[in-house]
């Protein structure tokens, strides 16, 4: 965890820059925070948006939500950036739909001198007040280890990946593969993209079942795809242990019913809360934490209860909590 009054760049090793060149001055309250997320199809981002809304409301600010109508659309998010630069909100909380392709958009935000916090997917460039996200490699590694432990360290495994080349997918799948390598009795049959979409994952799983008579475990890079895989298994009257990532309500319900083995959680609600908190604190000339990397939790039938709470009833972390959550 780093505490700073300045901007951080999310190109990994660049130094912190001072806030003076970018802050827009202190305000008492009433700020408008533009919140960019990647799509309306992945329930994870709904948790991010509710977290951002809750934090803004608690601090007497308001949010403007920017969501591409076509999931993860680079042209559409770039167009939305053009719009937000014109509207000039007090600050922006930003999840890039593509961590490399959106760098020119972030640079436009920087040129417009609008403070911006990076959440969830770490941008490959641009200047940010803060980063709030998770270690996707650990998420993949720990969830896959749980699956393989359940399978006794053996069995035929398939991976349903997210968007090829996206940073979250690269790191999660790397974690999946490393966990499989730890278990010589396990065999990776296939690793194919479902683009983080439920329907695409269902179709991928149907194809995988046609070419593989025995599948024991499914590692899905998010919960939506895990649910799609379960639907495909149910449709074919076949069984396999399935895990996802995100800790969504749908995943919790599936864990409770025994359909889903586990979900790796990195707290999208807290990411929305904390990203918005850092943006508003900066506007009010209060200290911010330049990097919060949340620890993963593997949610199972034995520990799901704290996560089985409606979003509207959840409480955002405090600034003191933020330091503890991001502490290494």
């Amino acid at each position: 965890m780093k505490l700073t009054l300045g901007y951080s760049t999310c190109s990994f090793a660049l130094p912190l820059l001072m806030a003076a060149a970018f802050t827009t001055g202190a305000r008492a309250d009433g700020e408008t925070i533009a919140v960019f997320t990647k799509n309306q199809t992945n329930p994870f981002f709904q948790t991010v948006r509710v977290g951002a809304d809750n934090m803004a409301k608690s601090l007497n600010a308001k949010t403007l939500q920017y969501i591409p109508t076509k999931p993860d659309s680079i042209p559409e998010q770039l167009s939305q950036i053009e719009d937000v630069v014109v509207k000039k909100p007090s600050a922006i909380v930003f999840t890039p739909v593509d961590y490399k392709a959106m760098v020119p958009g972030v640079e436009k935000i920087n040129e417009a001198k609008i403070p911006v916090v990076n959440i969830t997917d770490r941008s490959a460039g641009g200047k940010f007040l803060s980063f709030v996200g998770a270690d996707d490699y650990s998420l993949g590694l720990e969830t896959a280890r749980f699956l393989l432990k359940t399978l006794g360290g053996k069995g035929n495994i398939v991976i349903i990946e997210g968007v090829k080349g996206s940073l979250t997918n690269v790191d999660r799948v790397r974690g999946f593969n490393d966990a499989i390598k730890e278990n010589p009795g396990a065999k990776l049959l296939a690793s194919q993209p479902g683009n983080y979409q439920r329907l695409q994952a269902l179709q991928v799983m149907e194809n995988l079942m046609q070419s593989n008579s025995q599948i024991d475990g499914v590692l899905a890079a998010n919960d939506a795809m895990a649910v799609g895989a379960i639907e495909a298994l149910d449709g074919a009257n076949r069984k396999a242990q399935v895990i996802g990532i995100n800790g969504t309500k749908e995943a919790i319900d599936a864990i409770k019913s025994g359909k889903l083995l586990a979900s790796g959680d990195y707290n999208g609600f807290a990411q929305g809360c904390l990203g918005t908190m850092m943006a508003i604190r900066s506007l009010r000339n209060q200290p911010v934490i330049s990097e919060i990397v949340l620890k993963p939790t593997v949610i199972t039938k034995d520990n799901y209860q704290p996560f089985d709470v409606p979003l509207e009833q959840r409480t955002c972390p405090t600034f003191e909590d933020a330091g503890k959550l991001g502490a290494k």
Side-chain angles (χ1 to χ4, degrees):
M1 178 191 73
K2 298 174 183 175
L3 191 67
T4 180
L5 281 164
Y7 265 78
S8 67
T9 57
C10 279
S11 53
F12 303 95
L14 294 178
L16 299 178
L17 300 179
M18 294 306 293
F22 297 99
T23 50
T24 56
R27 297 177 176 85
D29 55 34
E31 299 93 339
T32 299
I33 310 300
V35 180
F36 282 70
T37 45
K38 296 167 71 170
N39 58 61
Q40 300 191 65
T41 54
N42 186 343
F44 170 79
F45 290 109
Q46 177 60 14
T47 69
V48 172
R49 290 188 285 269
V50 173
D53 290 346
N54 283 9
M55 179 56 73
K57 185 178 179 181
S58 71
L59 296 176
N60 198 26
K62 60 184 178 182
T63 59
L64 280 176
Q65 299 287 350
Y66 283 83
I67 314 165
T69 54
K70 181 181 178 183
D72 297 31
S73 169
I74 293 171
E76 196 170 347
Q77 192 172 68
L78 284 170
S79 174
Q80 290 177 336
I81 287 175
E82 297 282 352
D83 180 71
V84 85
V85 165
V86 172
K87 289 183 177 173
K88 204 121 182 164
S90 308
I92 295 171
V93 175
F94 188 73
T95 305
V97 297
D98 182 293
Y99 77 109
K100 290 181 180 176
M102 296 314 301
V103 171
V106 176
E107 290 171 346
K108 285 187 179 180
I109 293 170
N110 292 155
E111 289 168 8
K113 301 191 185 311
I114 303 171
V116 55
V117 174
N118 184 196
I119 64 169
T120 308
D121 290 39
R122 197 187 292 263
S123 173
K127 300 179 180 68
F128 293 93
L129 283 167
S130 178
F131 172 75
V132 181
D135 179 347
D136 284 288
Y137 172 77
S138 295
L139 273 171
L141 183 68
E142 296 304 325
T143 49
R145 280 176 170 169
F146 185 78
L147 171 75
L148 288 157
K149 182 180 178 183
T150 301
L151 294 175
K154 59 186 179 182
N156 293 330
I157 311 296
V158 298
I159 294 174
I160 303 181
E161 301 186 25
V163 176
K164 284 278 190 185
S166 69
L167 194 58
T168 53
N169 183 64
V170 169
D171 287 346
R172 290 176 192 179
V173 172
R174 187 163 57 89
F176 288 164
N177 280 304
D178 283 354
I180 293 171
K181 290 173 186 172
E182 293 173 350
N183 294 270
K187 180 182 180 182
L188 178 62
L189 299 177
S191 186
Q192 296 184 9
N195 295 319
Y196 290 132
Q197 302 299 313
R198 177 175 178 160
L199 179 58
Q200 291 184 40
L202 185 153
Q203 294 165 341
V204 167
M205 192 66 201
E206 287 176 339
N207 292 334
L208 289 171
M209 286 190 294
Q210 287 179 5
S211 52
N212 297 281
S213 59
Q214 181 65 41
I215 296 174
D216 303 300
V218 180
L219 295 162
N222 78 349
D223 287 338
M225 296 194 300
V227 172
I230 290 170
E231 290 172 341
L233 287 160
D234 286 347
N237 197 27
R238 286 174 61 167
K239 301 290 184 185
Q241 297 285 5
V242 181
I243 64 105
I245 286 177
N246 283 161
T248 60
K249 181 183 185 306
E250 194 171 29
I252 302 302
D253 290 342
I255 290 170
K256 288 163 62 178
S257 69
K259 291 277 188 181
L260 184 69
L261 177 65
S263 176
D265 176 63
Y266 62 129
N267 209 333
F269 181 80
Q271 290 189 31
C273 292
L274 296 174
T276 304
M277 177 197 288
M278 296 308 148
I280 294 172
R281 287 182 65 89
S282 172
L283 292 167
R284 297 178 184 180
N285 286 339
Q286 296 171 325
V288 301
I289 301 170
S290 63
E291 181 165 306
I292 302 172
V293 179
L294 302 170
K295 297 179 179 68
T297 300
V298 180
I299 305 171
T300 73
K301 63 180 175 59
D302 295 324
N303 69 351
Y304 72 83
Q305 288 86 354
F307 302 89
D308 191 23
V309 177
L311 283 174
E312 295 73 16
Q313 296 177 19
R314 296 187 187 184
T315 304
C316 281
T318 65
F319 184 67
E320 289 70 27
D321 292 335
K324 297 173 185 173
L325 285 168
K328 296 180 179 176

